[in-house]
Each structure stands twice: as structure tokens, then as C-alpha cells.
Amino acid sequence: MDSKLLLDELVNRKLIDEAVGNRLFSDTKIAKKHIEDLLYERRLVDDVEVAKIKSSLLKVPFKKVDLEKLTSDVLKLIPEDNVINYKVVPLSKTKDMMLVGMLYPDDEKAQEVLKFLAKQNKIDLGVYLISRGDYDLVRRKYNPYLNDVSAALRFVTPDKNKALPQRKIVSLEEGSAQGEEAPIIKIVASTFREAIIQKASDIHIEPQRDRLRIRFRIDGYLQEVLSLPIELQQPIVSRIKVLASLQIDEMRTPQDGRFRTVIMGRDIDFRVATFPTPVGEKAALRVLDPTVGLKGLDELGIVGSNRAIIETALHKPYGMILMTGPTGSGKTTTLYALMQILNTEQVNIVSLEDPVEYFMDGLNQSQVRPEIGYDFASGLRQILRQDPDIIMIGEIRDSETAKLAIHAALTGHIVLSTLHTNNATSVIPRLLDMGVDKFLLPAALNLMAAQRLIRRLCDYCKKSTEPTAEVLKIIEGSIKLMSEKVKKDIAKPYLVYNSPGCAECKNKGYSGRVAIFEVFEMTRHLSDLVSGEMNETKILEEAKNQGMLTLRQDGILKALTGLVSMDDVLGETTAAAEI
């Protein structure tokens, strides 16, 4: 279905305004997602209302899913892979009829799959359009992870004196091996699949004294998902080593590798690192799922005045944009979002990364290899010979790279990179410490932004409440320091939110993460400061004059709108960061 048609209808019905509609249409192209997905993820319009409008446009009847009718026999009618890949779910079955729900009834491939299944079962087919929320509820009923592992374990006979033999098998598919290895392959494949379903960013396979612990990092926090007999530790780690082309017989030193596979119809990259411990090798895997890692500015939490400043900097013909923050704060994800906006047919974008996390069409991405002398500095020299318009440097780590990056920004290139500082106002002193001449900074630097990641509250169970006297004092103190332009949009009375947990968020109270930002731009006054006698006090005063929102202030604004909890904001930021 044409996204513009649906957006126009939503605008006509005054469910969204025209400016939001235009932005959504642009974001669908950048994020390569259906408009319904963006509306659902951003909670802009009730998903049932969207489904009903779409139903009238497509002339396909809408149906609310009755979860009580979804017995195991009904779920078996459509395999889970088809449910995920084609966004179709079974609703009910009679002797002669199978009723199914579709998110995209006009998807021809999905239609063919359903026709095949109906023919296979020798029954007629009835199709309804369902809401995105109902689709997610049905999909969650398909969770074969623990069942798969339990079934696989029935075929494993742990031998405390002998590890299972290993064979060089590189396929992740079930049934790719026979004999004793098959259960191990099944357990590993099921674990990877479950990590994708739960949107885990990392998988930790950790030998303990008497068991093998498997944990997923979800929304920034580790949680245990499985415990296995310790005898399976080495076979499972060896299987992962085979996939990543690592040395199976080398268990004394750490190893790094990478592999790509297809899970549920999506290309997923896994970065693998092994680490020797007294009780066996530990394996940590970074899960690089483009559908999770590649996000638009709204999804990241870049809104309001911060968004306007960043978009202005992106449209300048040259200059440097630096993202700063600690490891794991989402800096690279933000750079990818910016590159998606800049990525057009008219420009040549070249990146240096360590490693390349997500492969993006239209970009020329290169991974540095310091062990052979190909580091950021040497790579940057080569990039300048590739006729680039836009350069992305994964991280400015040393003086040489910093000076080369500044030179690139001064010679007509847009340069995107990251730096390690605690806040945006520390970027200029940090670059000076790295040996960059201060008279070059005003012309080279366009924007400095710091960020942190905060858990996003579950939209289904979050509840508002009045803040305590102590929290109210912090809120009022932070808002008092904000610019009048920001203050006028803050609703009163001040309310804070919390999520007790529900079935939608698996009783966690959270679903995903969002970033808080502080954005500091190079102005004429800041240029004069940098060129003259500059100190930290004067830089902070300029940030205040710009009306820059600190990390805590941006977090408090997001907490007051129910996006994040006030406790998380106060835990991730400090009062000392206020200006």
C-alpha cells in the first residue's frame, strides 16, 4: 500500500498534522520501514485506528484478534518463520476454513504463502487485516527457544571425561549436521534466534564452576536466559568458533572473529570474542541487527531544539560534527543515523570503522586493521585520495588522527566522528590536549554533542504520578536554568512516570532505549573565545548563552513526557553537569 495514501488519510482525519506526516514519509525512506511500523513504534496514532483506516482503503475487513482461540493446534497452521517474514498469523480454523490475519494484505508474496498453506491443508482461506499490536501479541506466542533446547538436550549424553567431537560445519541451519553434533548446533542456532527475537545487543556464554550460563544484554542490562550442564561448555564454544573461523584447538589466548548469517529472513552480523578462564573459555557475541541498530533521529531521541541544531549543522557544506560520551552510549548509532540522512546519490561517503558494525548501501565502508599498520591515521590519508564529500571516522583516538580530521574538515569535507569526553563542553579542551592548534578549531568545528542511553518506559503499563518533594525541587531547579523558548512548551503540573511491568514488556517495565543529548554549536562568540583567552568557565557561560540543554535537562524533559523514568535520568546524570 502506498505510504503517502495512508498518511494523507491520517492528516485528513486530523490524527496527525501535515508537518508530522511529511517527516514520517521522509523517515520511511531513511529507515526503510513501513509507515505503520513507524506510527506504532513512535505511538503517534492508536494502532487499531490505523488498521481500521487501512482496512477501509484496501477494502479488506478488519478483525480484532481473540487470543483465547489461539490454541497450539491453531498456531501450528502457520510456521513461525512465515509469521515473522510475511507478517501473517493464524486466527482460527474450522473443518473447511482457515482464518488468517495479515498486516499487509496487499503483499503478493504473503498471499502466495497463505494460498500454499491453505492448499496443503485442503481448506478454504479467509483473510482479515489486523493491527500491529495484535500481530505482536500473536507472534510472542511462538517462542520455541526453551522447547528447542530441551528437545536438543534429550539427545545429549554428557561425558564428564570427554567433550563431544567437533566437525567443521559452518551452516547455522537446523539439520546441517548429523550424529552427536546435531544437538549442539540446534542449541547454538536456537540461542541466536532467541537473541534476535528479544532484541539483545550481546550474548554472553559463561562457564561457571558447575554450570554453563547464557545471558543476553537487553536494553543495556544483562539477564540470564538459560543454564546448561557445564559439560556442554566446550562443544558450544567450539561450535561458535567454527562459525567465526577461529582456531578450535587454541584455548589459551583470546580470539576475535566475525560471521554473518540469515535469521528469520534478516541478515545478522555477529562479532565474536573468546576469553580464557580457569573453568573454560567464555564467549561474548555482539549482535548487529540492522533493523534494530539503524534508527532515525526521532527513534534516537533527537527532538526539539536539539534536532533543529543538528539538522542545521548537517546542511553546512563542510565542517566537523563530533559525538562524545562513554563506551556503549550509542555514539556510533547516532553517526549511522546522520549518515542515512546525508546518504544520497550525489555524494561520496567514505568511512573508517573499527569494526564496521552495519553495512549500509551507498557507503564505502572500511575496517581499520592496526595490526598491519592500517589505523585511523593512515586510513584517513588514503580516504582523502578517494574524492570524498563526507568522511566518517569511527573514533578520534590520537593526536595524528585529530589533526588529520581537522585538516579534512577545513578542506571542504563534512567529517563525522566520535571522541571520549564526559560532556559536549569538554570537546574543545580535549582537542587542544591532543595537540590541535586552537586557531583551526573555529573554522573546522560545527557541532559537539554528548549523549547517554536511558531505558525507555513501556508504553502499555507506564503510569503517571506526582513527583516527591525532593524530585520536584530538582525538576524546578533544572527548568529554571532552561531558555524561555524551551520553558513555554513544558506542561504543568509536573508529572513523572513509572512502569510496573506487563505482558507486553515481559514484566520488565521497559522496552528499548532512548538517548539524552546535549548539543553545543560553534557560534561566532564561541569562535572568539577559542581564538582568545579561553577557560572552562567561559565555555560554560557560552553554553548557557546558547540555551544548551544539559544531559540532565534533556533527560528531565523526556521524563516529564513519560518517555523515561526520572530515577534513570538522575542515576545517569549528575547535578554538577548543570550550567
Side-chain angles (χ1 to χ4, degrees):
M1 179 180 178
D2 184 10
S3 297
K4 196 71 172 67
L5 186 64
L6 179 57
L7 281 171
D8 289 343
E9 188 63 22
L10 291 170
V11 172
N12 290 337
R13 299 194 185 198
K14 301 188 183 307
L15 294 172
I16 59 173
D17 62 45
E18 189 172 358
V20 172
N22 291 335
R23 181 180 295 174
L24 282 168
F25 186 69
S26 176
D27 286 352
T28 57
K29 296 180 178 179
I30 293 171
K32 296 180 180 178
K33 292 182 177 180
H34 289 278
I35 186 62
E36 301 94 313
D37 291 341
L38 291 180
L39 289 166
Y40 181 73
E41 291 167 6
R42 300 175 187 180
R43 311 299 179 197
L44 295 175
V45 184
D46 181 71
D47 63 299
V48 173
E49 188 69 23
V50 173
K52 288 180 178 178
I53 293 171
K54 189 175 175 182
S55 169
S56 66
L57 292 173
L58 291 176
K59 310 300 182 186
V60 176
F62 167 79
K63 188 175 182 65
K64 186 80 176 134
V65 175
D66 185 351
L67 293 176
E68 292 183 0
K69 291 184 178 180
L70 294 178
T71 63
S72 58
D73 289 338
V74 172
L75 293 174
K76 287 177 183 177
L77 292 171
I78 302 179
E80 188 186 13
D81 285 345
N82 290 338
V83 170
I84 293 170
N85 292 333
Y86 301 104
K87 303 297 185 291
V88 297
V89 296
L91 299 178
S92 62
K93 177 182 179 295
T94 62
K95 183 179 178 181
D96 302 317
M97 175 74 71
M98 175 173 70
L99 297 183
V100 299
M102 302 180 70
L103 272 185
Y104 311 113
D106 51 343
D107 184 338
E108 293 181 357
K109 290 186 178 179
Q111 292 172 6
E112 290 174 5
V113 168
L114 290 176
K115 288 175 183 177
F116 172 80
L117 291 173
K119 185 177 180 181
Q120 192 178 45
N121 289 282
K122 298 180 180 179
I123 53 178
D124 294 326
L125 190 65
V127 174
Y128 289 91
L129 190 146
I130 60 172
S131 69
R132 172 63 190 271
D134 278 355
Y135 166 77
D136 281 350
L137 289 174
V138 177
R139 195 194 68 181
R140 287 193 182 96
K141 284 185 167 287
Y142 290 84
N143 189 358
Y145 179 47
L146 297 178
N147 291 335
D148 285 352
V149 171
S150 298
L153 285 173
R154 287 198 294 268
F155 296 96
V156 176
T157 306
D159 185 345
K160 297 182 182 294
N161 300 312
K162 179 183 177 182
L164 294 179
Q166 298 301 311
R167 300 173 189 165
K168 190 173 181 179
I169 302 167
V170 295
S171 174
L172 195 63
E173 298 297 323
E174 297 175 18
S176 60
Q178 302 296 326
E180 294 182 52
E181 276 195 322
I184 301 301
I185 294 171
K186 178 76 170 180
I187 290 171
V188 171
S190 296
T191 298
F192 292 166
R193 188 169 178 273
E194 182 66 12
I196 299 304
I197 291 172
Q198 294 200 31
K199 297 182 179 179
S201 62
D202 300 85
I203 304 169
H204 289 257
I205 298 171
E206 305 165 313
Q208 308 294 295
R209 290 182 62 184
D210 56 356
R211 67 190 181 103
L212 178 66
R213 179 174 67 177
I214 297 180
R215 293 192 292 172
F216 292 166
R217 186 176 294 280
I218 302 171
D219 298 338
Y221 292 81
L222 283 169
Q223 60 185 58
E224 184 171 328
V225 295
L226 190 63
S227 180
L228 295 170
I230 188 61
E231 293 81 22
L232 300 185
Q233 176 268 333
Q234 197 54 51
I236 286 175
V237 172
S238 293
R239 171 59 186 163
I240 293 170
K241 283 182 169 183
V242 167
L243 293 169
S245 300
L246 302 180
Q247 297 180 44
I248 299 175
D249 57 350
E250 179 52 77
M251 306 176 189
R252 301 165 298 173
T253 61
Q255 297 185 64
D256 293 315
R258 184 171 187 152
F259 67 93
R260 174 184 288 190
T261 188
V262 176
I263 299 179
M264 298 185 298
R266 307 207 298 263
D267 280 345
I268 310 294
D269 275 306
F270 290 90
R271 270 178 19 214
V272 181
T274 63
F275 186 76
T277 75
V279 288
E281 284 184 291
K282 174 187 185 299
L285 296 90
R286 170 64 55 89
V287 183
L288 301 171
D289 182 353
T291 63
V292 175
L294 296 178
K295 299 181 178 180
L297 298 186
D298 285 336
E299 294 170 278
L300 291 172
I302 302 177
V303 295
S305 60
N306 284 344
R307 184 185 183 117
I309 295 169
I310 288 175
E311 288 180 337
T312 299
L314 283 175
H315 287 96
K316 291 185 177 180
Y318 63 88
M320 181 182 287
I321 296 175
L322 283 177
M323 300 303 305
T324 184
T327 301
S329 59
K331 301 185 297 296
T332 303
T333 301
T334 301
L335 289 187
Y336 275 108
L338 299 182
M339 286 194 294
Q340 287 183 84
I341 295 172
L342 295 169
N343 186 15
T344 65
E345 190 176 341
Q346 291 76 36
V347 296
N348 176 26
I349 303 179
V350 186
S351 75
L352 277 176
E353 304 174 54
D354 185 20
V356 175
E357 294 196 2
Y358 299 104
F359 294 95
M360 292 175 60
D361 288 338
L363 270 62
N364 301 291
Q365 298 170 272
S366 182
Q367 179 170 326
V368 298
R369 298 188 181 278
E371 67 274 11
I372 60 171
Y374 180 46
D375 55 14
F376 283 116
S378 62
L380 191 46
R381 288 193 190 91
Q382 295 300 320
I383 278 183
L384 293 172
R385 299 170 187 168
Q386 291 293 321
D387 183 32
D389 298 293
I390 299 159
I391 300 170
M392 193 278 256
I393 308 164
E395 183 183 345
I396 294 178
R397 296 176 179 172
D398 52 57
S399 175
E400 187 177 9
T401 306
K403 291 176 181 178
L404 287 168
I406 291 290
H407 174 73
L410 287 170
T411 53
H413 304 94
I414 296 174
V415 179
L416 309 176
S417 191
T418 69
L419 194 68
H420 283 289
T421 67
N422 289 326
N423 49 53
T425 56
S426 299
V427 168
I428 292 174
R430 174 69 178 136
L431 289 174
L432 294 176
D433 287 342
M434 298 177 83
V436 176
D437 294 324
K438 70 176 183 178
F439 68 87
L440 298 176
L441 292 178
L445 269 179
N446 286 344
L447 189 77
M448 300 143 278
Q451 68 179 90
R452 300 288 189 278
L453 289 177
I454 305 285
R455 293 180 296 178
R456 185 192 293 264
L457 290 173
C458 172
D459 287 304
Y460 290 92
C461 61
K462 68 182 178 186
K463 299 177 180 177
S464 63
T465 183
E466 293 184 0
T468 62
E470 182 181 0
V471 171
L472 181 60
K473 184 178 179 181
I474 294 172
I475 293 171
E476 291 175 339
S478 289
I479 291 176
K480 185 179 179 181
L481 297 171
M482 296 180 190
S483 68
E484 293 301 322
K485 183 179 179 181
V486 174
K487 287 179 185 178
K488 67 181 179 64
D489 293 327
I490 302 174
K492 289 185 179 181
Y494 303 134
L495 295 175
V496 295
Y497 295 76
N498 62 75
S499 300
C502 63
E504 287 288 336
C505 60
K506 298 184 178 179
N507 294 314
K508 292 184 296 183
Y510 300 93
S511 179
R513 289 188 289 177
V514 67
I516 56 176
F517 292 88
E518 60 182 32
V519 180
F520 192 34
E521 59 181 329
M522 181 61 71
T523 60
R524 183 178 296 277
H525 190 256
L526 181 57
S527 296
D528 293 339
L529 281 179
V530 175
S531 300
E533 293 299 322
M534 178 190 61
N535 56 47
E536 187 176 347
T537 302
K538 289 182 178 179
I539 292 178
L540 289 173
E541 186 64 29
E542 168 59 17
K544 183 177 181 180
N545 292 337
Q546 287 188 19
M548 183 191 82
L549 291 171
T550 64
L551 290 167
R552 170 163 286 194
Q553 288 171 338
D554 189 42
I556 286 174
L557 291 177
K558 288 182 168 74
L560 292 176
T561 60
L563 198 60
V564 297
S565 77
M566 189 64 72
D567 288 343
D568 281 359
V569 170
L570 299 181
E572 282 290 334
T573 61
T574 62
E578 296 292 356
I579 55 175

